[in-house]
Amino acid sequence: MNVKNLHVSKDAGELSRQVADWLVEYIQEVLVLRNRFTIALSGGNTPKKLYQLLASDTYKDRINWKRLHIFWGDERDVPFTDERNNAKMAFEALLSHVPVPASQVHPIQTDTDPGLSAETYDQLLHDYFDRQLYSFDLVLLGLGDNAHTLSLFPGYDEVLFEKEDWAKAFYLDEQHMHRITLTAPVVNSAGRVAFLVTGSDKTSALQHVLSGEYNPALYPAQLIAPANGELYWFLDTNAASGLK
Ligand code: 6PG
């Protein structure tokens, strides 16, 4: 996979500052041309430092929060009060501290049937992005140590290779829970997609995704290849240690 925009930071703290600066600049660039900036937040632990940084005095006033529209890349089908809930983490780290209008914040519902939640989310995405040049202005992604991203896990080909729906729900056996996730088509229609990957536990997965054979059934993050948008990789030295 030829990688154009790959940035390596010394550690997670430097990576978070680098992404925060990059994001502020991109938001300002988009808002000169459009009246809104749409972003799909990643779940998991990696982006938490970034979210906290964006809510800090150093960055908070450099973003026009009233023109941001917030989505999530995926959600664990657990109550909002559950520590594993991705929206809960984002609210605690960022959204409870910045003035994004509530009507512009779109958590994936976890208080209803997961299939219905995915259908509702799919419709919301079409309401936002049909007849637009591209989908999200930005999708933030993490990488699992098994090369999953979003909730696109190895072994769930029906979700991995979905071509029509933009959101899907399925039961993730290994975590004994349903997941609701964006699918590759809507992410690959985004203006920009950025992976944030830190830690030596991701070294092998990253090496497979970036330098290994193309086999998205085994390495689902390889499905992410924006058709017209730009793909960015923000890594720390530990995660990047296996790359040539
Ligand atoms: C999730 C995420 C998932 C995450 C990776 C990496 O809901 O878990 O969407 O794809 O980005 O599992 O997670 P960490 O950042 O915690 O390593």
Side-chain angles (χ1 to χ4, degrees):
M1 182 188 278
N2 78 313
V3 186
K4 274 193 334 178
N5 304 302
L6 187 144
H7 307 266
V8 182
S9 305
K10 70 175 174 0
D11 57 27
E14 186 186 83
L15 178 143
S16 301
R17 288 188 296 279
Q18 189 177 32
V19 175
D21 290 333
W22 171 83
L23 180 55
V24 164
E25 189 179 332
Y26 180 43
I27 292 171
Q28 288 170 354
E29 212 177 277
V30 168
L31 292 181
V32 165
L33 304 169
R34 307 178 75 156
N35 64 358
R36 72 183 191 188
F37 184 89
T38 56
I39 180 171
L41 299 179
S42 169
N45 301 311
T46 303
K48 190 170 180 178
K49 276 193 184 67
L50 168 65
Y51 299 164
Q52 290 168 334
L53 205 49
L54 294 173
S56 71
D57 292 343
T58 316
Y59 287 92
K60 187 158 60 172
D61 298 336
R62 294 170 57 190
I63 293 175
N64 188 345
W65 298 102
K66 298 227 182 293
R67 293 172 66 190
L68 261 61
H69 296 247
I70 311 289
F71 301 80
W72 274 263
D74 71 331
E75 191 54 273
R76 297 87 177 267
D77 190 36
V78 293
F80 180 78
T81 51
D82 187 305
E83 283 308 312
R84 296 167 296 176
N85 187 284
N86 288 333
K88 175 178 171 28
M89 183 275 275
F91 271 92
E92 286 173 353
L94 173 59
L95 297 173
S96 301
H97 311 285
V98 293
V100 182
S103 62
Q104 294 170 201
V105 182
H106 306 290
I108 296 172
Q109 290 172 351
T110 58
D111 55 358
T112 180
D113 167 76
L116 182 60
S117 175
E119 281 171 26
T120 305
Y121 215 64
D122 188 276
Q123 184 55 58
L124 174 72
L125 298 175
H126 281 286
D127 293 346
Y128 260 85
F129 302 131
D130 280 356
R131 294 173 300 285
Q132 295 290 317
L133 262 181
Y134 55 85
S135 61
F136 299 99
D137 291 296
L138 176 62
V139 178
L140 290 177
L141 297 177
L143 182 71
D145 58 9
N146 62 350
H148 83 262
T149 189
L150 299 164
S151 288
L152 304 177
F153 283 79
Y156 295 85
D157 287 6
E158 192 187 327
V159 182
L160 293 184
F161 300 109
E162 171 61 44
K163 292 285 180 269
E164 300 301 323
D165 294 346
W166 285 357
K168 292 283 281 183
F170 69 103
Y171 189 76
L172 183 62
D173 293 324
E174 52 264 49
Q175 292 187 7
H176 314 294
M177 65 164 73
H178 280 91
R179 289 273 189 131
I180 299 114
T181 185
L182 297 185
T183 59
V186 70
V187 175
N188 286 335
S189 308
R192 285 190 185 180
V193 180
F195 277 94
L196 279 55
V197 189
T198 63
S200 46
D201 58 327
K202 307 295 174 72
T203 306
S204 167
L206 194 63
Q207 203 173 356
H208 279 300
V209 170
L210 291 183
S211 322
E213 60 159 328
Y214 182 70
N215 186 347
L218 268 184
Y219 313 119
Q222 290 180 333
L223 290 166
I224 306 305
N228 302 307
E230 295 170 287
L231 178 59
Y232 291 78
W233 291 86
F234 292 98
L235 315 172
D236 73 354
T237 47
N238 286 334
S241 59
L243 300 179
K244 296 181 185 64

